[in-house]
Amino acid sequence: MSLDDAAKTGKIAVWWDMKECPVPEGIDAHRVRPSIEGGFKELGYFAPVSITAYGDQKQTPEYLLRALSSTGVAVVHVRSESTCAVMYEHMKNWREENPPPASMMIITNQMLDVFDWDLARLQQQRTGYHIFLAYTIRQRAELMVDTRKEWLWEKLLLGTTSSTSAGELSTVFHCEYCSLDCQSLNCFKEHLSTKKHQLQEVVRPKPTELISATKRWGKNYAATPEYTTAKIHVSWDMFCCPIPDGYDARRVRPSLEGAFKELGYSGPVSITAFGDHTQTPKRHLQALSSTGIDVAHATLGVLSSRIFEDLVEWRGRNTTPATMMIISDGVEELLAKLQQRIKFNLFWAYSCRPWTMSVVLTSAEWLWDSLLAVSATKRHVLRNCSASVVESTGMFYCKLCYTKRTLLDKFIKHLSSKKHLSEQEGCITDRRRRAKKNRLFWLKARVSFSKEQAVEECSLVEELEHVYR
């Protein structure tokens, strides 16, 4: 059974921000649990669901609390300004006690602004959880967290419901400030009105900002035993991280391997250099290939997709433990999403250090120039390389035509052939067409949530629909 299949029978925990996503007017609060369970069952998840509702329960109507408790929804009292911080603290604790396969659902509008960065890093650990999300307002930008399904809150509550056995449910009312559990609503409401509780809210305030679990993660860590001799694959973007002027390209491989060995990694290293190799000097291509580096031709428009294909294909052929490295700028979203789905040990090099800590969880990071300087101070690493031309040991790939050559001259000849040039022009045309289509779909999505946007951009939508009708 795969991990994805196992997750469908694992535990499901739901954290619900009642201020951001209240029960809409006209909808019976008794529907919350059966609607959530119904949404999961439509996706094939049949495990028990625990739901915890967070909010200032002194402001929540008693009839609503009674309806929720009657269906086994746990209720937590916390001031509104501390809701997200407390929810996240409880999530982290739950993760420690409930290893995968399991699923987590968050009901909030604050995923992007509050939870996204740290949760995405947590999800890149050796094990991850299936993440689900519901909100009343769609996120204004794409999330770094890899979600399996997202719902509009009201639509979920009006969707398919599932029958729940009352005998399987347990209800608790919890005061976060007093660390007190109540089994009855009357006892809970009475407690919230006491002077003792009011004093505790003052003397034991809860944080108003999320406390990160991963903020201190980011050093270059020594290899753990299972990775010391494991394979390492490097995908190198030569557009972002070119060979510096005057630099001996034969030093690239020993520089990388030297940096790896300083951290205790001594396994076999494969390297693929992606770039527009019609612009790469022949001496560089010869030097790279002479040290066993594969050369892959790709234009800027398709580079990201070809590197992604390379990583996924290599990962599919090599089981864990294994390490993958990417040398490129601006790939945070790609790597963060990929690593949440396909667990691997990750290295990263870039031309300029990110101005804030990256969302990508790595075992080691380097500046490209400093990484290349490793072999410059260790001349012995090139002692086996002579000044004469060395026979190629790397392959030459055209990632536009999906062909390969073993000889450099034949590779260069292919890049100037009519067949290749025609394929390259087709890639450019397809990229423009896809960009226009994506723009159309994006506009349609925005129109569905904003009538003002529909009026402002109606002419553009009609124009694109006419092109692709």
PDB file of all heavy atoms in Angstrom, residues 346-371:
ATOM      1  N   LEU A 346      18.179  17.481   0.104  1.00  0.00           N
ATOM      2  CA  LEU A 346      18.312  18.536  -0.895  1.00  0.00           C
ATOM      3  C   LEU A 346      19.475  19.470  -0.609  1.00  0.00           C
ATOM      4  O   LEU A 346      19.650  19.941   0.511  1.00  0.00           O
ATOM      5  CB  LEU A 346      17.011  19.354  -0.948  1.00  0.00           C
ATOM      6  CG  LEU A 346      16.993  20.547  -1.908  1.00  0.00           C
ATOM      7  CD1 LEU A 346      17.077  20.071  -3.361  1.00  0.00           C
ATOM      8  CD2 LEU A 346      15.737  21.382  -1.711  1.00  0.00           C
ATOM      9  N   PHE A 347      20.281  19.747  -1.653  1.00  0.00           N
ATOM     10  CA  PHE A 347      21.289  20.806  -1.645  1.00  0.00           C
ATOM     11  C   PHE A 347      20.846  21.892  -2.614  1.00  0.00           C
ATOM     12  O   PHE A 347      20.136  21.631  -3.580  1.00  0.00           O
ATOM     13  CB  PHE A 347      22.658  20.277  -2.104  1.00  0.00           C
ATOM     14  CG  PHE A 347      23.270  19.233  -1.228  1.00  0.00           C
ATOM     15  CD1 PHE A 347      24.226  18.364  -1.750  1.00  0.00           C
ATOM     16  CD2 PHE A 347      22.911  19.093   0.102  1.00  0.00           C
ATOM     17  CE1 PHE A 347      24.811  17.388  -0.959  1.00  0.00           C
ATOM     18  CE2 PHE A 347      23.488  18.116   0.905  1.00  0.00           C
ATOM     19  CZ  PHE A 347      24.436  17.269   0.370  1.00  0.00           C
ATOM     20  N   TRP A 348      21.338  23.120  -2.381  1.00  0.00           N
ATOM     21  CA  TRP A 348      20.954  24.238  -3.247  1.00  0.00           C
ATOM     22  C   TRP A 348      22.123  25.209  -3.351  1.00  0.00           C
ATOM     23  O   TRP A 348      22.779  25.522  -2.348  1.00  0.00           O
ATOM     24  CB  TRP A 348      19.724  24.934  -2.665  1.00  0.00           C
ATOM     25  CG  TRP A 348      19.129  26.022  -3.507  1.00  0.00           C
ATOM     26  CD1 TRP A 348      19.301  26.227  -4.850  1.00  0.00           C
ATOM     27  CD2 TRP A 348      18.243  27.057  -3.064  1.00  0.00           C
ATOM     28  NE1 TRP A 348      18.579  27.310  -5.277  1.00  0.00           N
ATOM     29  CE2 TRP A 348      17.926  27.841  -4.195  1.00  0.00           C
ATOM     30  CE3 TRP A 348      17.692  27.391  -1.837  1.00  0.00           C
ATOM     31  CZ2 TRP A 348      17.081  28.946  -4.125  1.00  0.00           C
ATOM     32  CZ3 TRP A 348      16.855  28.483  -1.758  1.00  0.00           C
ATOM     33  CH2 TRP A 348      16.549  29.244  -2.902  1.00  0.00           C
ATOM     34  N   ALA A 349      22.383  25.677  -4.550  1.00  0.00           N
ATOM     35  CA  ALA A 349      23.361  26.750  -4.771  1.00  0.00           C
ATOM     36  C   ALA A 349      22.702  27.828  -5.617  1.00  0.00           C
ATOM     37  O   ALA A 349      21.861  27.536  -6.479  1.00  0.00           O
ATOM     38  CB  ALA A 349      24.613  26.217  -5.455  1.00  0.00           C
ATOM     39  N   TYR A 350      23.084  29.094  -5.402  1.00  0.00           N
ATOM     40  CA  TYR A 350      22.455  30.211  -6.097  1.00  0.00           C
ATOM     41  C   TYR A 350      23.485  31.313  -6.308  1.00  0.00           C
ATOM     42  O   TYR A 350      24.524  31.370  -5.631  1.00  0.00           O
ATOM     43  CB  TYR A 350      21.266  30.756  -5.299  1.00  0.00           C
ATOM     44  CG  TYR A 350      21.421  30.629  -3.803  1.00  0.00           C
ATOM     45  CD1 TYR A 350      22.390  31.357  -3.116  1.00  0.00           C
ATOM     46  CD2 TYR A 350      20.626  29.759  -3.076  1.00  0.00           C
ATOM     47  CE1 TYR A 350      22.548  31.231  -1.749  1.00  0.00           C
ATOM     48  CE2 TYR A 350      20.781  29.619  -1.701  1.00  0.00           C
ATOM     49  CZ  TYR A 350      21.741  30.359  -1.044  1.00  0.00           C
ATOM     50  OH  TYR A 350      21.913  30.222   0.315  1.00  0.00           O
ATOM     51  N   SER A 351      23.196  32.207  -7.251  1.00  0.00           N
ATOM     52  CA  SER A 351      24.145  33.277  -7.578  1.00  0.00           C
ATOM     53  C   SER A 351      24.130  34.386  -6.533  1.00  0.00           C
ATOM     54  O   SER A 351      25.121  35.081  -6.335  1.00  0.00           O
ATOM     55  CB  SER A 351      23.837  33.862  -8.956  1.00  0.00           C
ATOM     56  OG  SER A 351      22.589  34.518  -8.961  1.00  0.00           O
ATOM     57  N   CYS A 352      22.981  34.571  -5.860  1.00  0.00           N
ATOM     58  CA  CYS A 352      22.887  35.573  -4.795  1.00  0.00           C
ATOM     59  C   CYS A 352      22.016  35.020  -3.677  1.00  0.00           C
ATOM     60  O   CYS A 352      20.993  34.397  -3.946  1.00  0.00           O
ATOM     61  CB  CYS A 352      22.341  36.902  -5.304  1.00  0.00           C
ATOM     62  SG  CYS A 352      20.735  36.792  -6.105  1.00  0.00           S
ATOM     63  N   ARG A 353      22.431  35.252  -2.459  1.00  0.00           N
ATOM     64  CA  ARG A 353      21.717  34.698  -1.311  1.00  0.00           C
ATOM     65  C   ARG A 353      20.362  35.385  -1.151  1.00  0.00           C
ATOM     66  O   ARG A 353      20.257  36.612  -1.245  1.00  0.00           O
ATOM     67  CB  ARG A 353      22.546  34.891  -0.041  1.00  0.00           C
ATOM     68  CG  ARG A 353      22.057  34.062   1.140  1.00  0.00           C
ATOM     69  CD  ARG A 353      22.974  34.260   2.340  1.00  0.00           C
ATOM     70  NE  ARG A 353      24.327  33.858   2.057  1.00  0.00           N
ATOM     71  CZ  ARG A 353      24.768  32.608   2.100  1.00  0.00           C
ATOM     72  NH1 ARG A 353      23.920  31.633   2.381  1.00  0.00           N
ATOM     73  NH2 ARG A 353      26.033  32.328   1.838  1.00  0.00           N
ATOM     74  N   PRO A 354      19.279  34.615  -0.898  1.00  0.00           N
ATOM     75  CA  PRO A 354      17.963  35.221  -0.663  1.00  0.00           C
ATOM     76  C   PRO A 354      18.015  36.202   0.506  1.00  0.00           C
ATOM     77  O   PRO A 354      18.733  35.962   1.483  1.00  0.00           O
ATOM     78  CB  PRO A 354      17.077  34.010  -0.341  1.00  0.00           C
ATOM     79  CG  PRO A 354      17.767  32.844  -0.975  1.00  0.00           C
ATOM     80  CD  PRO A 354      19.228  33.144  -0.871  1.00  0.00           C
ATOM     81  N   TRP A 355      17.275  37.295   0.404  1.00  0.00           N
ATOM     82  CA  TRP A 355      17.358  38.332   1.437  1.00  0.00           C
ATOM     83  C   TRP A 355      16.656  37.913   2.728  1.00  0.00           C
ATOM     84  O   TRP A 355      16.890  38.476   3.792  1.00  0.00           O
ATOM     85  CB  TRP A 355      16.780  39.646   0.928  1.00  0.00           C
ATOM     86  CG  TRP A 355      15.316  39.656   0.684  1.00  0.00           C
ATOM     87  CD1 TRP A 355      14.658  39.183  -0.407  1.00  0.00           C
ATOM     88  CD2 TRP A 355      14.296  40.180   1.549  1.00  0.00           C
ATOM     89  NE1 TRP A 355      13.298  39.363  -0.285  1.00  0.00           N
ATOM     90  CE2 TRP A 355      13.052  39.977   0.912  1.00  0.00           C
ATOM     91  CE3 TRP A 355      14.316  40.802   2.798  1.00  0.00           C
ATOM     92  CZ2 TRP A 355      11.844  40.362   1.482  1.00  0.00           C
ATOM     93  CZ3 TRP A 355      13.106  41.195   3.367  1.00  0.00           C
ATOM     94  CH2 TRP A 355      11.892  40.978   2.697  1.00  0.00           C
ATOM     95  N   THR A 356      15.785  36.900   2.637  1.00  0.00           N
ATOM     96  CA  THR A 356      15.201  36.314   3.842  1.00  0.00           C
ATOM     97  C   THR A 356      15.398  34.800   3.773  1.00  0.00           C
ATOM     98  O   THR A 356      15.702  34.264   2.710  1.00  0.00           O
ATOM     99  CB  THR A 356      13.695  36.615   3.948  1.00  0.00           C
ATOM    100  OG1 THR A 356      13.021  36.092   2.790  1.00  0.00           O
ATOM    101  CG2 THR A 356      13.440  38.112   4.063  1.00  0.00           C
ATOM    102  N   MET A 357      15.222  34.136   4.893  1.00  0.00           N
ATOM    103  CA  MET A 357      15.368  32.688   4.898  1.00  0.00           C
ATOM    104  C   MET A 357      14.373  32.066   3.936  1.00  0.00           C
ATOM    105  O   MET A 357      13.186  32.389   3.938  1.00  0.00           O
ATOM    106  CB  MET A 357      15.162  32.123   6.307  1.00  0.00           C
ATOM    107  CG  MET A 357      15.329  30.611   6.378  1.00  0.00           C
ATOM    108  SD  MET A 357      15.099  29.945   8.039  1.00  0.00           S
ATOM    109  CE  MET A 357      16.606  30.509   8.817  1.00  0.00           C
ATOM    110  N   SER A 358      14.842  31.169   3.122  1.00  0.00           N
ATOM    111  CA  SER A 358      14.009  30.562   2.089  1.00  0.00           C
ATOM    112  C   SER A 358      12.995  29.593   2.681  1.00  0.00           C
ATOM    113  O   SER A 358      13.228  28.985   3.729  1.00  0.00           O
ATOM    114  CB  SER A 358      14.893  29.829   1.077  1.00  0.00           C
ATOM    115  OG  SER A 358      14.106  29.063   0.193  1.00  0.00           O
ATOM    116  N   VAL A 359      11.881  29.429   1.986  1.00  0.00           N
ATOM    117  CA  VAL A 359      10.890  28.442   2.390  1.00  0.00           C
ATOM    118  C   VAL A 359      11.375  27.034   2.084  1.00  0.00           C
ATOM    119  O   VAL A 359      10.879  26.055   2.644  1.00  0.00           O
ATOM    120  CB  VAL A 359       9.542  28.712   1.683  1.00  0.00           C
ATOM    121  CG1 VAL A 359       9.648  28.393   0.193  1.00  0.00           C
ATOM    122  CG2 VAL A 359       8.402  27.920   2.311  1.00  0.00           C
ATOM    123  N   VAL A 360      12.372  26.901   1.215  1.00  0.00           N
ATOM    124  CA  VAL A 360      12.897  25.592   0.857  1.00  0.00           C
ATOM    125  C   VAL A 360      13.740  25.044   2.019  1.00  0.00           C
ATOM    126  O   VAL A 360      14.617  25.728   2.533  1.00  0.00           O
ATOM    127  CB  VAL A 360      13.754  25.667  -0.417  1.00  0.00           C
ATOM    128  CG1 VAL A 360      14.323  24.295  -0.756  1.00  0.00           C
ATOM    129  CG2 VAL A 360      12.929  26.182  -1.579  1.00  0.00           C
ATOM    130  N   LEU A 361      13.472  23.817   2.397  1.00  0.00           N
ATOM    131  CA  LEU A 361      14.196  23.177   3.485  1.00  0.00           C
ATOM    132  C   LEU A 361      15.349  22.366   2.896  1.00  0.00           C
ATOM    133  O   LEU A 361      15.132  21.403   2.166  1.00  0.00           O
ATOM    134  CB  LEU A 361      13.264  22.266   4.272  1.00  0.00           C
ATOM    135  CG  LEU A 361      13.824  21.643   5.547  1.00  0.00           C
ATOM    136  CD1 LEU A 361      14.213  22.714   6.548  1.00  0.00           C
ATOM    137  CD2 LEU A 361      12.816  20.675   6.160  1.00  0.00           C
ATOM    138  N   THR A 362      16.578  22.771   3.175  1.00  0.00           N
ATOM    139  CA  THR A 362      17.750  22.130   2.599  1.00  0.00           C
ATOM    140  C   THR A 362      18.661  21.574   3.685  1.00  0.00           C
ATOM    141  O   THR A 362      18.590  21.971   4.844  1.00  0.00           O
ATOM    142  CB  THR A 362      18.559  23.127   1.746  1.00  0.00           C
ATOM    143  OG1 THR A 362      19.029  24.185   2.595  1.00  0.00           O
ATOM    144  CG2 THR A 362      17.717  23.704   0.628  1.00  0.00           C
ATOM    145  N   SER A 363      19.539  20.670   3.258  1.00  0.00           N
ATOM    146  CA  SER A 363      20.575  20.173   4.157  1.00  0.00           C
ATOM    147  C   SER A 363      21.853  20.983   4.009  1.00  0.00           C
ATOM    148  O   SER A 363      22.719  20.955   4.896  1.00  0.00           O
ATOM    149  CB  SER A 363      20.860  18.693   3.876  1.00  0.00           C
ATOM    150  OG  SER A 363      19.722  17.910   4.153  1.00  0.00           O
ATOM    151  N   ALA A 364      21.993  21.679   2.873  1.00  0.00           N
ATOM    152  CA  ALA A 364      23.180  22.511   2.653  1.00  0.00           C
ATOM    153  C   ALA A 364      22.880  23.524   1.548  1.00  0.00           C
ATOM    154  O   ALA A 364      22.152  23.224   0.599  1.00  0.00           O
ATOM    155  CB  ALA A 364      24.383  21.658   2.269  1.00  0.00           C
ATOM    156  N   GLU A 365      23.440  24.742   1.693  1.00  0.00           N
ATOM    157  CA  GLU A 365      23.289  25.795   0.687  1.00  0.00           C
ATOM    158  C   GLU A 365      24.631  26.489   0.490  1.00  0.00           C
ATOM    159  O   GLU A 365      25.413  26.622   1.433  1.00  0.00           O
ATOM    160  CB  GLU A 365      22.236  26.823   1.118  1.00  0.00           C
ATOM    161  CG  GLU A 365      20.827  26.267   1.248  1.00  0.00           C
ATOM    162  CD  GLU A 365      19.811  27.334   1.655  1.00  0.00           C
ATOM    163  OE1 GLU A 365      20.151  28.537   1.581  1.00  0.00           O
ATOM    164  OE2 GLU A 365      18.693  26.957   2.056  1.00  0.00           O
ATOM    165  N   TRP A 366      24.859  26.940  -0.748  1.00  0.00           N
ATOM    166  CA  TRP A 366      26.101  27.644  -1.057  1.00  0.00           C
ATOM    167  C   TRP A 366      25.832  28.792  -2.026  1.00  0.00           C
ATOM    168  O   TRP A 366      24.896  28.725  -2.840  1.00  0.00           O
ATOM    169  CB  TRP A 366      27.110  26.714  -1.741  1.00  0.00           C
ATOM    170  CG  TRP A 366      27.611  25.563  -0.944  1.00  0.00           C
ATOM    171  CD1 TRP A 366      28.689  25.536  -0.107  1.00  0.00           C
ATOM    172  CD2 TRP A 366      27.084  24.227  -0.928  1.00  0.00           C
ATOM    173  NE1 TRP A 366      28.867  24.279   0.419  1.00  0.00           N
ATOM    174  CE2 TRP A 366      27.895  23.460  -0.066  1.00  0.00           C
ATOM    175  CE3 TRP A 366      25.998  23.607  -1.573  1.00  0.00           C
ATOM    176  CZ2 TRP A 366      27.667  22.102   0.177  1.00  0.00           C
ATOM    177  CZ3 TRP A 366      25.753  22.269  -1.327  1.00  0.00           C
ATOM    178  CH2 TRP A 366      26.589  21.533  -0.451  1.00  0.00           C
ATOM    179  N   LEU A 367      26.665  29.819  -1.962  1.00  0.00           N
ATOM    180  CA  LEU A 367      26.752  30.805  -3.036  1.00  0.00           C
ATOM    181  C   LEU A 367      27.566  30.181  -4.161  1.00  0.00           C
ATOM    182  O   LEU A 367      28.600  29.541  -3.918  1.00  0.00           O
ATOM    183  CB  LEU A 367      27.428  32.085  -2.544  1.00  0.00           C
ATOM    184  CG  LEU A 367      26.558  33.051  -1.749  1.00  0.00           C
ATOM    185  CD1 LEU A 367      27.425  34.128  -1.115  1.00  0.00           C
ATOM    186  CD2 LEU A 367      25.509  33.692  -2.656  1.00  0.00           C
ATOM    187  N   TRP A 368      27.113  30.351  -5.386  1.00  0.00           N
ATOM    188  CA  TRP A 368      27.749  29.699  -6.534  1.00  0.00           C
ATOM    189  C   TRP A 368      29.231  30.070  -6.661  1.00  0.00           C
ATOM    190  O   TRP A 368      30.086  29.194  -6.803  1.00  0.00           O
ATOM    191  CB  TRP A 368      26.982  30.063  -7.797  1.00  0.00           C
ATOM    192  CG  TRP A 368      27.522  29.530  -9.092  1.00  0.00           C
ATOM    193  CD1 TRP A 368      27.851  30.243 -10.202  1.00  0.00           C
ATOM    194  CD2 TRP A 368      27.771  28.151  -9.427  1.00  0.00           C
ATOM    195  NE1 TRP A 368      28.286  29.431 -11.212  1.00  0.00           N
ATOM    196  CE2 TRP A 368      28.247  28.133 -10.763  1.00  0.00           C
ATOM    197  CE3 TRP A 368      27.650  26.954  -8.738  1.00  0.00           C
ATOM    198  CZ2 TRP A 368      28.596  26.949 -11.423  1.00  0.00           C
ATOM    199  CZ3 TRP A 368      27.995  25.773  -9.390  1.00  0.00           C
ATOM    200  CH2 TRP A 368      28.462  25.780 -10.702  1.00  0.00           C
ATOM    201  N   ASP A 369      29.537  31.340  -6.553  1.00  0.00           N
ATOM    202  CA  ASP A 369      30.938  31.760  -6.700  1.00  0.00           C
ATOM    203  C   ASP A 369      31.824  31.162  -5.613  1.00  0.00           C
ATOM    204  O   ASP A 369      32.954  30.728  -5.876  1.00  0.00           O
ATOM    205  CB  ASP A 369      31.050  33.289  -6.673  1.00  0.00           C
ATOM    206  CG  ASP A 369      30.537  33.929  -7.960  1.00  0.00           C
ATOM    207  OD1 ASP A 369      30.321  33.181  -8.935  1.00  0.00           O
ATOM    208  OD2 ASP A 369      30.354  35.155  -7.989  1.00  0.00           O
ATOM    209  N   SER A 370      31.324  31.134  -4.376  1.00  0.00           N
ATOM    210  CA  SER A 370      32.133  30.578  -3.290  1.00  0.00           C
ATOM    211  C   SER A 370      32.269  29.066  -3.423  1.00  0.00           C
ATOM    212  O   SER A 370      33.289  28.490  -3.047  1.00  0.00           O
ATOM    213  CB  SER A 370      31.526  30.933  -1.933  1.00  0.00           C
ATOM    214  OG  SER A 370      30.242  30.358  -1.781  1.00  0.00           O
ATOM    215  N   LEU A 371      31.249  28.435  -3.976  1.00  0.00           N
ATOM    216  CA  LEU A 371      31.313  26.993  -4.196  1.00  0.00           C
ATOM    217  C   LEU A 371      32.376  26.656  -5.235  1.00  0.00           C
ATOM    218  O   LEU A 371      33.156  25.710  -5.069  1.00  0.00           O
ATOM    219  CB  LEU A 371      29.947  26.479  -4.640  1.00  0.00           C
ATOM    220  CG  LEU A 371      29.793  24.979  -4.888  1.00  0.00           C
ATOM    221  CD1 LEU A 371      30.128  24.193  -3.626  1.00  0.00           C
ATOM    222  CD2 LEU A 371      28.369  24.662  -5.333  1.00  0.00           C
TER     223      LEU A 371
END
